[in-house]
Amino acid sequence: MLEFFRRHRGAFLITLTASIIISMFYYGVSQTAANPDKKLLPTDVALTVSGKDYSVADVQRAQRSVEFSQYYLQSYEMASILRIIPSSGGLDSFANLFVARQLMEDLGIRPSNEEARAALEKLPALQNNGKFDVSRGQMLEQLASSMGFDSEALLDIMKDSIGLRKLQDLVTKSYTASPLAAEKQYASSYQTVKGGKITFETEAFKKTATVTDDEIKKYYEENKENYKTVEKRAVSYVFFEKAKDLDKKPLEERQKAESAVVERVNAFNALTTDQKSRKTFAEAAAATKEKVETVPAFAQGSPPEALKTENNLLDLIFARPKDSTSPAEAVEGDKGWYVFDVTKIEEPKQQTLAEVTAKIKEVLVGQKADEARTKAVNEARLALIEGLKSGKKIDELVKAQKLTLESLPDIDTANPPTEVPNSFLIGQEAAKTAVGSISHAVDFDKGTLLIYVSAKELRKRPDAVELRKNQVESLSDQERMSLFQAWFKKQHEAARIVIAKLG
């Protein structure tokens, strides 16, 4: 019944607010250390907000409510309120939530059961083809019940979320971003840039980089631990191949073929794992007459052809402790089942200077090339900026610096042309660069670029009205949140929060 929520729990956990768990752990440790003879009781006062005491149990309920709201309801208002005032690491992580609840009560924000139920039915987690799914609602109720939330508590969680939205609206809803600010942001986001680029490729600097034998030796001595051979392992294994072309066979025949493979695997596995008469890998193979494949020692990054796609198997082969006496067990792979035995381990060995000289030289050449490129970029940029300020033309400045200015096609900063290499990076930096100026350095996979912006245009586009409207709404939302945070911080200060200490 709860499979939908169990299946999606991993995705919900991505949004976990780390401070929630950290704060509870920190509080328990710090209080126990301060007074090891006294146990923390649910009725003990944890914190005081505006003269009202909240117990440890109150905070634990709040924690569970926030977690449930995030993980299963995909509703993040409660978690977001915790982040407005950064926590110092204790139970004060939840002070914000208690402050917000008191503010809602003082301002008459009291969502009804009907509002909470309606909001619950609109949650994405309970939708199926755009409509409330009763079966998912029943699953949620059962899940909530298993975690100690009755129907009333579930509605209370939704009331918190609704109330927090209403609280933000009450403080900031009348605010609208300045049309001028929105227009500037629109112009910055949807402009077309003209100009050119100056490229500093790393390979060109590698050609002139020189490395001495003494530098190579010094680097080797300082980084010797990084120059060892990789561990290699030899294995023997039995492969139980999955039946092929099952989709072309009748159900009964398909099930029979699958069962036959499983029975072979189980028969082999039973011999190697039986506690009373456990057999070795070789003995089990002989007893079951299964074919044993042997593979000479190999590195995990260079597996034999037969095992190249079996990443799970390779991970387990190299994860097995060197002194392990655990019996071989079956491992399911892409092609079938494997039972393996590690027969030999070649430990990493220190490589000599002669063996790694070429690698070290390559590293040092790369480092020197990067340093030389960075120096050349900085010097060229400063020279170009000073030259442009003095009224000189970009072409003569580039020529004097023995650089090449390559013309760029027009770049729409909102939709950079995919056929232009690094167009996104170029557009992003060009948008921040004034006309007639040189951009900051733009690093890319092969080196560094400097962008010269010769012109910017705000061209007509069919979706301009809608984009401008979205820009105003987006900017308004951002500024409303900033206003609400500033207002809430003042309320937080006025709440006279006291974190209780035991002992």
Side-chain angles (χ1 to χ4, degrees):
M1 287 290 287
L2 305 180
E3 183 59 30
F4 171 78
F5 292 98
R6 289 186 181 130
R7 190 169 62 247
H8 288 76
R9 190 171 194 266
F12 300 161
L13 284 173
I14 294 172
T15 63
L16 173 64
T17 305
S19 63
I20 295 173
I21 293 177
I22 293 172
S23 65
M24 294 300 291
F25 172 79
Y26 176 88
Y27 185 80
V29 170
S30 64
Q31 297 306 316
T32 303
N35 192 350
D37 296 326
K38 183 173 181 179
K39 293 184 178 180
L40 199 64
L41 299 175
T43 54
D44 286 335
V45 174
L47 52 88
T48 303
V49 180
S50 297
K52 181 177 179 179
D53 292 337
Y54 292 90
S55 67
V56 171
D58 291 331
V59 176
Q60 289 173 338
R61 275 194 296 272
Q63 178 192 17
R64 289 167 52 236
S65 295
V66 172
E67 291 174 348
F68 193 87
S69 178
Q70 278 190 281
Y71 302 169
Y72 300 106
L73 303 184
Q74 301 180 57
S75 180
Y76 308 113
E77 285 82 9
M78 292 172 70
S80 66
I81 201 77
L82 300 185
R83 292 191 286 266
I84 292 180
I85 311 293
S87 166
S88 62
L91 289 180
D92 55 329
S93 296
F94 293 90
N96 290 348
L97 184 56
F98 296 128
V99 170
R101 285 175 175 173
Q102 289 188 13
L103 288 170
M104 287 187 281
E105 180 66 26
D106 293 343
L107 294 170
I109 299 174
R110 303 181 185 90
S112 65
N113 286 346
E114 289 71 23
E115 285 180 283
R117 196 171 290 108
L120 193 63
E121 293 181 0
K122 291 178 181 178
L123 290 173
L126 302 183
Q127 299 296 302
N128 187 9
N129 294 324
K131 295 181 179 179
F132 171 64
D133 188 319
V134 175
S135 62
R136 289 187 182 182
Q138 291 171 342
M139 291 181 201
L140 179 66
E141 285 187 344
Q142 290 186 29
L143 176 62
S145 177
S146 70
M147 297 176 68
F149 295 109
D150 58 19
S151 298
E152 185 177 348
L154 191 56
L155 290 180
D156 285 341
I157 292 174
M158 288 309 303
K159 288 178 183 179
D160 270 334
S161 294
I162 296 168
L164 288 169
R165 284 197 294 269
K166 288 186 174 184
L167 184 61
Q168 292 181 47
D169 285 347
L170 185 65
V171 176
T172 66
K173 192 170 185 178
S174 61
Y175 176 83
T176 303
S178 159
L180 179 59
E183 183 61 25
K184 284 183 177 180
Q185 189 162 310
Y186 170 81
S188 175
S189 301
Y190 297 100
Q191 61 192 329
T192 298
V193 175
K194 295 174 177 288
K197 65 178 180 178
I198 302 168
T199 306
F200 299 80
E201 291 195 351
T202 305
E203 285 301 320
F205 292 92
K206 283 183 178 181
K207 293 175 182 178
T208 58
T210 57
V211 177
T212 67
D213 290 342
D214 286 342
E215 288 174 324
I216 292 174
K217 185 178 179 180
K218 182 175 182 290
Y219 186 89
Y220 173 76
E221 293 298 332
E222 292 175 349
N223 299 276
K224 191 179 288 187
E225 287 298 311
N226 297 330
Y227 291 98
K228 291 184 178 180
T229 59
V230 296
E231 180 186 297
K232 293 183 179 181
R233 296 193 173 195
V235 295
S236 295
Y237 68 89
V238 174
F239 175 47
F240 302 87
E241 187 176 18
K242 292 178 181 177
K244 296 179 179 179
D245 301 323
L246 291 180
D247 57 327
K248 300 176 182 178
K249 297 178 180 179
L251 177 61
E252 185 176 346
E253 188 176 342
R254 184 163 68 243
Q255 291 175 335
K256 186 177 180 180
E258 290 173 338
S259 296
V261 176
V262 172
E263 286 172 6
R264 287 173 56 207
V265 174
N266 288 341
F268 192 102
N269 215 37
L271 294 175
T272 61
T273 58
D274 185 84
Q275 293 296 322
K276 293 182 179 179
S277 58
R278 194 170 81 189
K279 295 185 180 298
T280 65
F281 176 86
E283 290 170 342
T288 56
K289 297 181 180 180
E290 296 288 356
K291 182 182 178 182
V292 177
E293 303 285 352
T294 59
V295 180
F298 65 92
Q300 186 170 3
S302 305
E305 190 66 34
L307 304 180
K308 271 188 176 180
T309 61
E310 301 292 8
N311 294 325
N312 186 38
L313 172 64
L314 293 171
D315 287 342
L316 291 173
I317 289 173
F318 283 86
R320 176 167 289 185
K322 296 178 175 59
D323 56 352
S324 175
T325 58
S326 300
E329 292 190 27
V331 180
E332 185 176 14
D334 291 338
K335 302 173 185 176
W337 291 83
Y338 297 82
V339 180
F340 71 89
D341 184 33
V342 177
T343 57
K344 181 182 178 182
I345 297 177
E346 291 183 9
E347 300 284 357
K349 296 179 181 178
Q350 181 65 56
Q351 293 177 291
T352 65
L353 175 59
E355 289 174 319
V356 297
T357 292
K359 289 182 180 179
I360 293 176
K361 185 176 182 179
E362 184 179 354
V363 170
L364 293 176
V365 166
Q367 290 180 355
K368 290 195 172 188
D370 287 341
E371 291 170 4
R373 187 193 73 243
T374 300
K375 183 173 181 290
V377 169
N378 291 339
E379 290 177 350
R381 183 171 181 272
L382 287 174
L384 293 173
I385 289 173
E386 291 300 319
L388 290 169
K389 284 182 179 178
S390 67
K392 293 181 180 179
K393 301 293 185 183
I394 186 65
D395 292 336
E396 61 180 291
L397 291 170
V398 168
K399 185 177 180 180
Q401 292 289 317
K402 296 181 180 180
L403 301 171
T404 301
L405 180 65
E406 181 184 352
S407 294
L408 286 168
D410 293 356
I411 292 180
D412 181 343
T413 55
N415 298 289
T418 55
E419 68 276 8
V420 177
N422 308 301
S423 61
F424 175 78
L425 293 173
I426 293 170
Q428 194 176 42
E429 191 59 41
K432 299 182 286 186
T433 304
V435 174
S437 299
I438 296 291
S439 73
H440 288 284
V442 178
D443 292 324
F444 69 110
D445 58 337
K446 294 182 179 180
T448 304
L449 298 171
L450 289 177
I451 313 301
Y452 173 70
V453 178
S454 59
K456 292 182 179 181
E457 297 177 357
L458 189 59
R459 296 177 178 174
K460 289 183 178 180
R461 43 194 310 150
D463 55 351
V465 173
E466 186 65 23
L467 289 173
R468 279 184 165 89
K469 179 183 176 184
N470 292 341
Q471 202 76 53
V472 171
E473 292 176 354
S474 175
L475 189 58
S476 295
D477 287 343
Q478 293 173 23
E479 295 185 1
R480 283 175 191 146
M481 179 53 68
S482 296
L483 287 170
F484 178 74
Q485 289 175 345
W487 174 83
F488 189 85
K489 286 177 181 178
K490 291 291 185 182
Q491 309 309 311
H492 182 277
E493 292 169 5
R496 306 183 307 280
I497 296 168
V498 179
I499 308 300
K501 292 184 179 180
L502 299 180

